[in-house]
Amino acid sequence: MTPIEVNVERTAGDEGGGRRHPNTCPSCRSHFRDDELRHSLRVCAQCGHHFAVGAMERIEQMLDPGSFVEIGSELRAADPLAFVDLRPYTDRLLDAELATGLGDSLVAGSGQIVGRPTAVAVMDFAFMGGSMGSVLGERFCLAADLAVARRIPLISVTASGGARMQENILALMQMAKTVGAVDSLREVGVPYISVLAHPTTGGVIASFASLGDVVVAEPGALLSFAGPRVVEQTTGEKTAPDFGRSESNLRLGQLDAVVPRRELRGELAKLLVLFSPAEEEPTGDNEPLPQTGSDENPVDRVLGMFGLGRKRG
Amino acid sequence: MVRVSDEVRRLRKRFEARAEESQIWDAVQLARHPDRPYTLDYAERLFSDAFELRGDRAFSDDEALITMLARYHGQTVVAIGHQKGRDLAERTRRMFGMPHPEGYRKAIRAVELAERFGYPILTFVDTPGAYPGVKAEERGQAGMIARSVLAFCQASVPVVATVIGEGGSGGALAIAVADRVQMQENAIYSVISPEGCAAILWKDAGQAKKAAFAFRPTARACLDLGVIDTIVDEPGGGAHADLDASARLLDTALRQSLAEAEAIPPAQRRALRRAKFRAMGVWGVADEPTNQDF
Ligand SMILES: [Zn+2]
């Protein structure tokens, strides 16, 4: 009756229709070599369009070099329903693994950002549309377990068309399972920061991705429960071009910030400082606040590293 | 190669045999039967007193989802359920049982009330899904479903959920995280409707039957996969054939499940409920390391 999930097979940013080289900017048609795009964090140098980023490359962008340690990499989907649509689920899984080099649509582990430890759970839209199945749920829980055990924050980066239909009811249950993991973080007071990338829809945005203590999104990302096509087909309503986009969600109160990719690592570093325990401050009521870049204040120290120093009177 | 457990192999064998296909489509149709009993039909028959709690205290009253204080076998419970309409006017008013965010906000309000007074929560799941409209999206449909799931995760009171018709997607799960989950014999529970699944995977909504056969939204499959605890019998011909008999059968199962949920020590309920859902999912282990070079 009502399809709720968006089409998981749809490629990110193909709204314009027609085939396009993956390194051609869909908004300004500039074309880039892959190394150029990698160097620019896959942001169009001409217009600022944010291309999709694979999970491993995202981890490279976010974390201190060499700090990432993966967990749960051995887990693979098991196809309990022996699901066949136009093709067997197992064939689709094999293709996805060959195309991405990943075992499923989420990579979990731990690492550091500007020297501060954090657990991470990073999704890859290229693996079956970033769909959520049993392996995603278990890997997300492993990342949360690690955060709870070490009392370090969890950062997730999502890009998903929704739940993985080939696992049907088990896929739906991953919503409960991942929200349970978020609850385990809340129980012990471990911070959870959710970064929403294009697109984060369906079961993923209706579960863990919406429950960050802080939720930020990349510019122009589609963030909605139902995608625009499903809304138009089932309700007959027209959707505006900015339907479900990050900027609309910010305006409607669903997000804390829209953060361009070039600023993401810096903003995450700032949040890790803000969520860290209080530090000894020099005593004395009238002492001036430490200057930008001073070793006294960790927020300023981190901001200084990114050239984002705060002005002080 | 992916190594899987013997249990997964057994499941695959069972499902590969493609048995029970006629029952699957029967269930899809019975679950959506226009005369099938809805939440209020059961409330009338199961509860001696009931007072409907209306409104989310923020925006409006979403009639696709109802919440009530009710007396069940001598004790007060909080009942939460989707509600479809009987005739076209009521169906339209109740959005065919598809809640907007304010419906889930009302559910969260009811969970909080139950928590304050220590009342058990009984939920009745019967929705094609959360309403996929522009206004619902603008008011934060996804986030409100997530917060409702979280509220059910965090409740320390006993919670029993019963899928009484269509358990459609996140809109159903939003009120279905419970200590005991039941499904009526001909109810269906799935991540997407058969039509939606067919439209996406078969590129043709007309292939809904094929999709239903492939993804098996039945009570039996949900039980086999460890997603539900109990299948609740229905009268011959389906729940709509005899509402009173159907309510009696539900009552028997509900009393049993509620007793089991009440037997869990309150201090452990949240952790055990979380562990219950943590265990859901089936995966194998790769023999080879990831990130091979190709
Ligand atoms: Zn561009």
Side-chain angles (χ1 to χ4, degrees):
Chain A
M1 174 157 188
T2 311
I4 296 300
E5 306 295 336
V6 301
N7 187 344
V8 296
E9 305 259 300
R10 196 189 310 161
T11 341
D14 75 350
E15 293 83 354
R19 286 258 155 237
R20 184 190 335 108
H21 189 278
N23 289 359
T24 300
C25 176
S27 39
C28 76
R29 305 279 151 192
S30 307
H31 186 80
F32 303 93
R33 292 194 317 270
D34 201 65
D35 64 309
E36 288 174 326
L37 269 184
R38 186 177 265 269
H39 185 72
S40 65
L41 307 182
R42 301 205 181 266
V43 175
C44 176
Q46 292 303 313
C47 74
H49 170 78
H50 284 49
F51 288 81
V53 189
M56 286 304 178
E57 194 172 331
R58 172 77 73 175
I59 285 166
E60 239 170 69
Q61 291 180 5
M62 264 176 20
L63 300 184
D64 297 348
S67 69
F68 178 65
V69 180
E70 190 175 357
I71 47 169
S73 63
E74 71 286 3
L75 304 182
R76 290 293 182 285
D79 187 27
L81 289 169
F83 191 99
V84 181
D85 48 85
L86 296 178
R87 301 175 57 208
Y89 177 31
T90 45
D91 284 6
R92 291 187 190 268
L93 286 165
L94 202 63
D95 282 1
E97 181 158 356
L98 288 170
T100 61
L102 302 174
D104 213 294
S105 58
L106 181 140
V107 175
S110 61
Q112 297 190 344
I113 296 180
V114 197
R116 290 186 184 263
T118 181
V120 291
V122 178
M123 293 190 66
D124 197 315
F125 191 81
F127 194 104
M128 292 188 71
S131 53
M132 173 163 68
S134 298
V135 172
L136 181 148
E138 184 61 15
R139 286 186 178 174
F140 183 84
C141 287
L142 290 174
D145 288 350
L146 192 146
V148 168
R150 298 192 199 160
R151 296 295 194 271
I152 56 176
L154 172 65
I155 298 172
S156 70
V157 184
T158 51
S160 173
R164 190 173 294 167
M165 285 169 287
Q166 290 88 347
E167 295 187 29
N168 189 23
I169 198 66
L170 290 176
L172 184 64
M173 290 307 124
Q174 303 313 306
M175 289 177 64
K177 178 167 168 166
T178 55
V179 171
V182 174
D183 184 33
S184 70
L185 301 173
R186 290 187 175 202
E187 201 173 40
V188 296
V190 161
Y192 169 39
I193 299 160
S194 173
V195 180
L196 311 175
H198 178 73
T200 298
T201 58
V204 168
I205 193 158
S207 62
F208 66 94
S210 281
L211 295 176
D213 296 297
V214 175
V215 183
V216 303
E218 291 199 324
L222 175 66
L223 316 168
S224 64
F225 183 55
R229 212 175 298 179
V230 169
V231 168
E232 293 189 356
Q233 282 169 3
T234 44
T235 69
E237 296 172 280
K238 283 293 288 174
T239 55
D242 65 348
F243 169 86
R245 298 286 163 173
S246 306
E247 295 72 16
S248 319
N249 274 288
L250 181 68
R251 182 169 46 81
L252 293 162
Q254 308 298 340
L255 290 177
D256 293 299
V258 175
V259 180
R261 195 173 291 157
R262 286 195 194 89
E263 295 165 25
L264 183 60
R265 184 172 137 91
E267 291 296 299
L268 290 173
K270 191 201 295 179
L271 285 167
L272 292 186
V273 170
L274 290 169
F275 276 117
S276 67
E279 293 177 27
E280 282 291 314
E281 269 199 67
T283 47
D285 290 341
N286 297 321
E287 214 165 303
L289 285 164
Q291 293 301 300
T292 300
S294 150
D295 280 341
E296 311 284 352
N297 183 313
V299 175
D300 286 330
R301 187 166 67 235
V302 169
L303 290 178
M305 294 175 106
F306 291 92
L308 301 166
R310 297 182 291 189
K311 286 250 163 25
R312 293 285 186 187
Chain B
M1 281 304 293
V2 178
R3 279 180 286 128
V4 298
S5 68
D6 291 343
E7 196 194 332
V8 174
R9 261 192 284 273
R10 272 196 297 279
L11 273 174
R12 283 186 58 104
K13 264 220 173 64
R14 248 183 55 78
F15 289 134
E16 264 167 356
R18 317 218 65 84
E20 305 148 17
E21 286 197 342
S22 64
Q23 289 162 42
I24 293 175
W25 196 245
D26 286 351
V28 171
Q29 287 172 313
L30 286 171
R32 295 168 169 177
H33 196 284
D35 297 329
R36 192 171 177 87
Y38 300 144
T39 298
L40 283 173
D41 298 306
Y42 289 122
E44 247 172 57
R45 289 165 176 81
L46 297 176
F47 304 141
S48 51
D49 277 302
F51 184 90
E52 188 177 348
L53 304 165
R54 296 186 59 170
D56 66 342
R57 299 296 187 267
F59 182 74
S60 76
D61 182 44
D62 186 341
E63 296 186 71
L65 188 147
I66 53 174
T67 64
M68 54 177 72
L69 271 173
R71 205 78 169 157
Y72 181 60
H73 293 290
Q75 73 168 325
T76 299
V77 299
V78 165
I80 302 173
H82 302 100
Q83 181 67 33
K84 296 176 176 177
R86 211 39 90 182
D87 55 36
L88 187 62
E90 194 195 354
R91 280 174 197 274
T92 309
R93 182 160 59 84
R94 297 194 183 276
M95 303 303 276
F96 300 83
M98 295 186 281
H100 280 66
E102 44 273 24
Y104 295 111
R105 201 184 291 113
K106 179 165 66 173
I108 295 168
R109 180 191 153 214
V111 170
E112 287 169 352
L113 186 150
E115 192 70 13
R116 277 197 299 280
F117 295 95
Y119 299 148
I121 299 169
L122 306 179
T123 75
F124 301 89
V125 178
D126 189 16
T127 180
Y131 190 73
V134 171
K135 293 290 177 213
E137 291 290 341
E138 287 180 351
R139 297 200 287 269
Q141 185 73 288
M144 202 55 71
I145 290 171
R147 271 179 278 283
S148 184
V149 174
L150 182 66
F152 278 89
C153 282
Q154 294 180 328
S156 69
V157 295
V159 186
V160 177
T162 310
V163 184
I164 58 169
E166 284 182 276
S169 185
L173 182 80
I175 61 164
V177 174
D179 303 308
R180 288 293 179 274
V181 182
Q182 319 189 110
M183 244 177 112
Q184 284 187 321
E185 196 181 336
N186 295 306
I188 57 173
Y189 200 7
S190 59
V191 73
I192 185 170
S193 67
E195 291 76 8
C197 179
I200 295 168
L201 293 182
W202 278 263
K203 325 271 178 220
D204 174 9
Q207 304 291 324
K209 216 167 178 172
K210 271 190 193 163
F213 292 165
F215 80 10
R216 294 176 173 264
T218 60
R220 181 59 209 268
C222 288
L223 188 72
D224 287 345
L225 292 165
V227 166
I228 63 165
D229 304 290
T230 310
I231 297 178
V232 182
D233 290 338
E234 292 180 26
H240 66 281
D242 187 340
L243 268 61
D244 292 331
S246 186
R248 279 195 299 276
L249 290 163
L250 177 56
D251 183 35
T252 308
L254 200 49
R255 279 179 86 169
Q256 172 67 30
S257 292
L258 181 57
E260 289 170 18
E262 284 176 322
I264 301 167
Q268 292 174 30
R269 244 182 230 122
R270 182 174 168 191
L272 285 176
R273 194 181 301 131
R274 192 193 297 152
K276 175 184 172 67
F277 284 86
R278 169 77 188 255
M280 290 182 194
V282 168
W283 57 86
V285 172
D287 278 333
E288 285 152 71
T290 45
N291 303 328
Q292 311 98 306
D293 292 319
F294 296 108

